[in-house]
Amino acid sequence: MKNRPIGIFDSGVGGLTVVKQIFKRLPNEEIVYLGDTARVPYGTKSPETIKKYSIENADFLMKFKVKIIVVACNTASSTSLDALRKKFSIPIVGVIKPGAEKAVQITRNNRVGIIGTYTTVKSKAYEKEIRHFSRDVEAVSKACPLFVPLVEEGWLKEDVTFDIVKKYLKPLMAKKIDTLILGCTHYPLLKPVISRVMGRHVKIVDSASSVADEVHNILMALGKLSEQKKPAHKFFATDTVEHFVRVGEKFLGTKIHRAERANYV
Ligand code: DGL
């Protein structure tokens, strides 16, 4: 049971930023990653559609007898956690709570900004979690839909990227936030430019590292931390694997030697 894999899914390649942090924090764990590249993006779709996709993705991961499922996608986490927890009895971890908790811990002026996809922002999932941890924190959110294609195109340092980031973040700067949650899988790759725009005094919370800590704590509490020395990971995509591997390696920061097509879509 201990050495069973951790299942992770995302709407596409972005969730590999979470895998990267899990590799660092939990090097003995075997990962089965699923990117739903055939149906990406989730960020512009309705909660009902995303719930349906999320359950299908989790059903696929369950075939590998995973001991825990990480919903690496912010949009799926903000809409589908309750439905997933109702259907599956293993622990289901989303990215919203760990990011919200960290932001509440580090804000000094109690003003926190959140950026994410349209659906994540509309769901107010981060605001609800923040309120759960503190009633004193004021949260403001902003959808930044152009960030995902910019990152997938690899435009991380271009002038045009700086200008777009500045335009989206201006209203958050006006609110004098001192902490900003990157509420989307893709945004950690834009961290340097986001920091440059917001200024050094604004602390950036990247949910990917907070979620790796949360997974570690859950597995430790359950006595299910793996003892494998060389875990063999598996990567799946619901559309062609070539694109998944090429773009995915940028997110993971290492080579993806083998990826397979998941054929249930
Ligand atoms: N993975 C999504 C998220 O974190 C971003 C890409 C999409 O819209 O599907 O919200």
Side-chain angles (χ1 to χ4, degrees):
M1 185 70 185
K2 277 183 175 181
N3 292 346
R4 283 189 183 179
I6 296 177
I8 304 182
F9 79 82
D10 175 47
S11 55
V13 286
L16 292 165
T17 52
V18 175
V19 175
K20 186 176 176 182
Q21 296 303 327
I22 292 187
F23 278 175
K24 263 197 218 161
R25 185 80 176 84
L26 295 154
N28 297 336
E29 299 294 337
E30 180 184 326
I31 306 293
V32 181
Y33 181 87
L34 170 69
D36 191 7
T37 46
R39 303 186 288 197
V40 71
Y42 283 12
T44 48
K45 295 193 170 76
S46 70
E48 293 67 38
T49 300
I50 300 163
K51 262 180 222 166
K52 178 177 166 284
Y53 293 173
S54 296
I55 287 179
E56 288 170 6
N57 298 339
D59 270 333
F60 176 81
L61 291 172
M62 290 305 282
K63 294 195 182 116
F64 298 88
K65 301 202 182 324
V66 294
K67 60 185 168 188
I68 186 167
I69 288 181
V70 180
V71 183
C73 177
N74 285 258
T75 310
S77 293
S78 63
T79 51
S80 312
L81 285 187
D82 288 347
L84 288 166
R85 287 183 179 140
K86 226 178 181 175
K87 168 139 199 227
F88 302 98
S89 56
I90 58 169
I92 310 278
V93 180
V95 285
I96 310 288
K97 180 174 154 259
E101 185 174 15
K102 179 96 179 277
V104 168
Q105 280 164 1
I106 64 176
T107 179
R108 290 281 155 266
N109 71 359
N110 283 343
R111 285 169 187 228
V112 171
I114 302 140
I115 51 176
T117 65
Y118 276 128
T119 304
T120 298
V121 167
K122 198 163 167 231
S123 75
K124 299 217 171 288
Y126 273 106
E127 283 90 334
K128 282 178 210 150
E129 278 302 337
I130 286 175
R131 218 169 309 126
H132 174 83
F133 289 110
S134 166
R135 295 243 155 217
D136 301 328
V137 172
E138 190 192 329
V140 277
S141 56
K142 179 94 181 89
C144 305
L146 286 179
F147 287 8
V148 167
L150 279 174
V151 170
E152 296 218 348
E153 199 54 31
W155 288 14
L156 307 179
K157 292 183 183 149
E158 272 66 6
D159 290 345
V160 63
T161 307
F162 181 84
D163 292 343
I164 291 171
V165 170
K166 199 165 164 194
K167 189 165 167 73
Y168 277 128
L169 299 188
K170 222 170 169 181
L172 299 183
M173 288 159 84
K175 292 275 184 188
K176 306 231 175 305
I177 58 163
D178 76 346
T179 305
L180 177 65
I181 300 176
L182 306 185
C184 174
T185 48
H186 288 56
Y187 301 178
L189 280 87
L190 290 174
K191 203 167 167 181
V193 53
I194 292 172
S195 261
R196 224 172 96 213
V197 168
M198 294 305 293
R200 279 174 183 218
H201 61 287
V202 175
K203 292 176 267 312
I204 311 278
V205 175
D206 152 4
S207 329
S209 41
S210 316
V211 88
D213 288 337
E214 170 106 352
V215 173
H216 173 269
N217 295 344
I218 293 174
L219 292 180
M220 192 160 77
L222 295 173
K224 285 186 184 166
L225 281 169
S226 165
E227 286 157 357
Q228 291 180 89
K229 289 288 165 264
K230 283 206 169 145
H233 309 296
K234 293 188 179 70
F235 296 92
F236 292 92
T238 52
D239 204 334
T240 113
V241 293
E242 289 76 17
H243 175 80
F244 172 81
V245 169
R246 188 168 44 80
V247 184
E249 286 178 346
K250 287 191 236 164
F251 286 80
L252 193 59
T254 57
K255 276 229 145 316
I256 297 173
H257 295 288
R258 202 175 116 85
E260 291 164 65
R261 178 121 177 207
N263 280 318
Y264 63 92
V265 170

